[in-house]
Amino acid sequence: MASNITLNQTQAINNVTSNLIRYPKESVEAWTIIGITGVITNSILFLSLISSKSLRNQSHVIINSSFLVGILFCGLYLLPRWAALQYFYNYPVICTILPLLGSAFLFNYNLHQCFTSLDRYFAVKWPIKYRRLMHKRLYQYVVLILWVFSLLTAFIPVMTFRPFQPGRCVFHSGNIVAERIFSYWKFFGWFFLPVIVIIFCYSQTFYMIFAKRRKSVAPNITASYRPMQLDNKKTINASVQMGILALIFIAMMFPYTVVFILSEIRLFIGMSWQSILDMIFITRFIAFSYPAINPLLYGYFVDSIRYAVLTKFHLKQCYTSEIPKTSQVNIA
């Protein structure tokens, strides 16, 4: 069986290559700001939603779960892994687990975005069946499955080809084939497949929305269609809001994945390893900042969530005086 590459071996390799490659210096201050901001913003919206009686429908179960992912990602991964980098390597078990835990949280984020896109697609395509069949308990089961599946998938290495070693920080095993297959699975299975589902669902959703709007302004619109149009208005507005948030999610995560592809084909395109490292340094900041700003995006784009937060902080009167009640759209 191939031997694991431990922390001491990794440091020795780095010392040999240090004269050839310049590793970008991590900014502890920046990671600390991102981590603390993520914990605060996600906690505020998480507590606001679970304490709001008007936002306890099935769609907000998945949204609230994503805020919990953000709390754990920033608090249990970003802060100890990157903000406390000088102490990270002193605890072998922690430094072995944390990279896997961070991967699990990111995968969980992708799955939440994927399920949200499916939710909006079904809500627009089959609105009557959606209201009749979808219920809060079903969403709770789905959320539980997403959490368990993401955690089990991320910890495949320690259960198979990269087992724990007492007193050692293991980043990589000597099994090059297994490590490479798992890397491909992480970047293509964890990101590209969910993104394909997200793009398909929202493109179809927006097409159906625009088709319904063209039908609503047609001169021969029937009287029986008008009530249905009013009933679907909330669903359509919520779908547009979720679509915008999904586009921002893809825009922030996609560059980090592209850099991985470039690292695999760099020899064919003549790109230096130094350029790859520099791009990883930049795109990782962008991608890992998403969980911190995700609650801010929800608070800005989704009126019902912003209303719940302001109500929690006793700013309801100020908010309602500026925005009419008809614009306070619920995600349902």
Side-chain angles (χ1 to χ4, degrees), residues 26-43 69-91 94-95 98-99 101-102 105 284-285 288-289 291-292:
E26 297 291 345
S27 175
V28 175
E29 294 80 8
W31 285 118
T32 302
I33 293 174
I34 293 174
I36 294 176
T37 301
V39 172
I40 293 175
T41 55
N42 282 280
S43 297
V69 177
I71 295 172
L72 297 178
F73 178 80
C74 295
L76 297 183
Y77 176 69
L78 285 188
L79 289 176
R81 173 66 177 89
W82 297 105
L85 193 60
Q86 64 272 31
Y87 308 106
F88 172 71
Y89 300 106
N90 297 332
Y91 304 94
I94 293 178
C95 75
L98 280 185
L101 201 59
F105 291 146
R284 184 170 55 208
F285 263 113
F288 288 5
S289 298

Side-chain angles (χ1 to χ4, degrees), residues 72-189:
L72 297 178
F73 178 80
C74 295
L76 297 183
Y77 176 69
L78 285 188
L79 289 176
R81 173 66 177 89
W82 297 105
L85 193 60
Q86 64 272 31
Y87 308 106
F88 172 71
Y89 300 106
N90 297 332
Y91 304 94
V93 175
I94 293 178
C95 75
T96 300
I97 292 178
L98 280 185
L100 302 176
L101 201 59
S103 298
F105 291 146
L106 284 179
F107 184 34
N108 205 352
Y109 245 119
N110 296 351
L111 293 178
H112 276 69
Q113 291 288 342
C114 184
F115 181 72
T116 301
S117 67
L118 290 170
D119 175 72
R120 293 298 90 202
Y121 175 75
F122 293 141
V124 173
K125 188 172 181 63
W126 298 290
I128 298 177
K129 291 183 178 180
Y130 176 85
R131 295 188 182 94
R132 186 174 69 249
L133 300 178
M134 297 299 180
H135 51 84
K136 187 175 180 179
R137 182 61 60 86
L138 175 62
Y139 278 64
Q140 291 173 343
Y141 289 148
V142 171
V143 166
L144 179 61
I145 293 173
L146 296 184
W147 278 86
V148 173
F149 180 70
S150 60
L151 288 172
L152 290 179
T153 305
F155 278 82
I156 286 178
V158 298
M159 294 185 292
T160 54
F161 58 88
R162 196 196 305 165
F164 283 111
Q165 290 191 10
R168 294 183 178 183
C169 182
V170 182
F171 290 101
H172 194 281
S173 70
N175 192 337
I176 304 300
V177 175
E179 292 286 354
R180 208 169 189 84
I181 292 175
F182 186 72
S183 296
Y184 289 152
W185 163 242
K186 279 201 307 182
F187 282 90
F188 291 99

Side-chain angles (χ1 to χ4, degrees), residues 27 30 58 67 84 96-97 101-102 108 122 131 133 157 210 262 264 275 278 295 305 309 315:
S27 175
Q58 65 270 17
F67 294 149
T96 300
I97 292 178
L101 201 59
N108 205 352
F122 293 141
R131 295 188 182 94
L133 300 178
F210 292 136
L262 293 177
E264 293 297 312
S275 300
D278 292 337
I305 294 180
V309 174
L315 298 174

Side-chain angles (χ1 to χ4, degrees), residues 187 191-192 253-263 276 279:
F187 282 90
F191 180 79
F192 280 108
M253 292 293 185
F254 188 71
Y256 188 53
T257 308
V258 170
V259 172
F260 169 77
I261 299 176
L262 293 177
S263 68
I276 296 294
M279 287 190 292

Side-chain angles (χ1 to χ4, degrees), residues 293-311:
I293 70 169
N294 179 53
L296 302 178
L297 296 174
Y298 269 97
Y300 179 79
F301 285 104
V302 183
D303 294 328
S304 60
I305 294 180
R306 182 167 65 251
Y307 181 77
V309 174
L310 295 177
T311 301

